[in-house]
Every structure is written in C-alpha cells, then in structure tokens.
Amino acid sequence: LNHRNSNQIIRRRQRNHVNNRRQPGPMQYVFYAILNTDLHMNRGTAAANIAVGLMLLYNIIDTDQVKCQYIDSWTKNGQRIVILKGYDHRHLKYLQQEVKFIALGTYAVRQRWGRNKAIIVLTVFGQKEDLEDVFEGLTYLR
C-alpha cells in the first residue's frame, strides 16, 4: 500500500510539474525602416519618408486576409518599430533582396533623385528573430 501511494504521488507531481526551462514566448513581429543616409535631407523630410513607408506597408499587410493576424500580434506585443541607417541605394536594394523570402512584407519608398529613382526608405515587417540576422551590422538612426 505504501509503495502504491508513493507511485501515485510521483505521477501526480509529474503531471503538475511546471518546467522551469525557458519556453519560447509568442512570436515577436517588428517593423524595420532603413533610411538611405547617402542622400542628404533634413530630419523632417527623413521622418516624413519613414512615416510614409511604415504606413503604406502597414496598410498593405493589414488588408491581406492571411497576414493581418500578424499585425494583430504586433499590436498586442508592444508595436515595436526599429529605424536603422542604410548606406546608399545599392545597400537598400541588397537588403531588399536578402529579406525577400524571410519578411512578411517589404515596401521601398522611391523618389527621383537626379536622373534616377533612388530608394529613400526600405520598410520591412517580419519576425524579429529572422530579421535580426540580416540587419545585425546596421546602427540605429538617432
């Protein structure tokens, strides 16, 4: 009887045992905006272009019936937006190709600059863990 009771107690403890190892939390989604710092513009123009890029990408993802659930998750988990410095048009084009299959959405704000259309701001939305590797060496815009 004593042995049987101890086995029952052990089984009960195993069922009710809370694992103290870190469980992966909910997926964190982030908006990234990468500004082309090669083009000289004042802070207001840069801020306006970043805002336009973020709003357009947000609207594109929010109107998609499948991807809108990720916007809801982003809203519930703190609405994180990271703004980084890009080097030039080629760099932003390279980053756009790198995140093509990783990100849930990208949008490039382009503007005529001289004879060409340059990417001013690249906005990206996706999982933080996936995108951190691509944007690892970039610095924050201050």
Side-chain angles (χ1 to χ4, degrees), residues 20-65:
N20 287 335
R21 283 191 237 157
R22 279 188 78 144
Q23 299 293 324
M27 292 291 183
Q28 289 189 351
Y29 295 95
V30 178
F31 274 99
Y32 283 93
I34 301 94
L35 179 69
N36 184 344
T37 56
D38 188 43
L39 305 174
H40 301 290
M41 61 185 100
N42 62 29
R43 285 185 181 186
T45 305
N49 284 314
I50 291 168
V52 165
L54 289 170
M55 286 175 27
L56 287 172
L57 181 58
Y58 178 89
N59 288 336
I60 290 168
I61 294 172
D62 197 36
T63 56
D64 188 316
Q65 291 180 353

Side-chain angles (χ1 to χ4, degrees), residues 68-86:
C68 67
Q69 67 184 351
Y70 303 117
I71 291 288
D72 294 339
S73 176
W74 173 75
T75 305
K76 291 175 187 170
N77 291 321
Q79 300 179 347
R80 184 139 191 230
I81 299 172
V82 178
I83 301 173
L84 303 169
K85 291 182 185 179

Side-chain angles (χ1 to χ4, degrees), residues 87-103:
Y87 302 119
D88 56 11
H89 172 77
R90 280 189 187 154
H91 182 233
L92 294 183
K93 199 163 182 87
Y94 167 78
L95 290 173
Q96 189 177 25
Q97 290 300 317
E98 286 291 309
V99 299
K100 190 177 198 176
F101 300 108
I102 300 172

